[in-house]
Amino acid sequence: MGVGKSTVGALVAERLGCAYRDTDDDIVAEQGRTIADIFVDEGEPVFRAIEKRAVHKALAEHDGVLALGGGAILDEGTRALLAGHRVVYLSMDVEEAVKRTGLNAARPLLAVNPRRQWRDLMEARRHLYTEVARAVVPTDGRTPEEVAQAVLDALELKEA
């Protein structure tokens, strides 16, 4: 959440001369409502099922840079599909998250005690991120351009 996946993903795609896609955008377009609204109206299990379908579809259709929502790796089948791809985990600490997002209520999983919830989410998910990631790129104190370059370097990819 707030790590810069959309911004960095678009920059990496531009530098590689390929297409960019974000599964969160796919979900919003398909559902006609925000992710926060889906969480509130339907609950997390329904959202996760929608997310799983969106990620699996995008992995089958798209061969450029693909950004996934932070919870996409919770599904074991999704993690298995990601094993064949160059996955990068963009990391940051809670202080950076506060600076970037304010950890506000627009993020449904952080509605109450956002700092603690963010820490708890990261503690629960970090091992899943690192399980599927070919590279971990810290984003703290870096510009999106610096992070994009670090992603290219970590994956040993050259700009187009």
Side-chain angles (χ1 to χ4, degrees):
M1 267 176 261
V3 75
K5 68 179 179 63
S6 298
T7 302
V8 171
L11 284 169
V12 169
E14 181 182 312
R15 290 182 183 187
L16 292 174
C18 66
Y20 167 76
R21 184 169 173 175
D22 186 322
T23 57
D24 284 352
D25 293 341
D26 292 350
I27 292 166
V28 170
E30 177 189 286
Q31 296 293 312
R33 54 192 170 148
T34 68
I35 289 171
D37 285 345
I38 298 168
F39 263 85
V40 169
D41 297 343
E42 308 291 336
E44 185 175 0
V46 169
F47 172 75
R48 294 297 173 208
I50 293 167
E51 179 180 53
K52 177 182 175 178
R53 287 191 307 272
V55 170
H56 287 227
K57 181 179 180 188
L59 285 169
E61 294 176 354
H62 183 74
D63 62 357
V65 175
L66 181 63
L68 307 181
I73 48 76
L74 296 173
D75 178 69
E76 185 177 344
T78 299
R79 290 194 310 275
L81 282 177
L82 290 170
H85 298 275
R86 294 183 199 135
V87 177
V88 176
Y89 163 34
L90 300 179
S91 69
M92 70 178 167
D93 68 21
V94 70
E95 296 310 316
E96 187 77 8
V98 169
K99 284 187 227 171
R100 292 184 189 186
T101 69
L103 296 180
N104 60 32
R107 304 205 181 259
L109 292 178
L110 303 177
V112 179
N113 194 351
R115 284 177 189 246
R116 175 165 185 143
Q117 287 182 300
W118 189 90
R119 282 188 185 107
D120 290 348
L121 277 174
M122 287 309 301
E123 193 60 36
R125 294 177 179 180
R126 187 173 288 112
H127 73 283
L128 300 174
Y129 294 146
T130 57
E131 174 187 320
V132 299
R134 193 173 289 184
V136 178
V137 174
T139 65
D140 302 84
R142 289 176 150 174
T143 66
E145 292 77 12
E146 291 168 334
V147 175
Q149 187 60 54
V151 168
L152 293 170
D153 292 345
L155 295 177
E156 299 178 350
L157 297 172
K158 303 291 182 210
E159 293 185 38

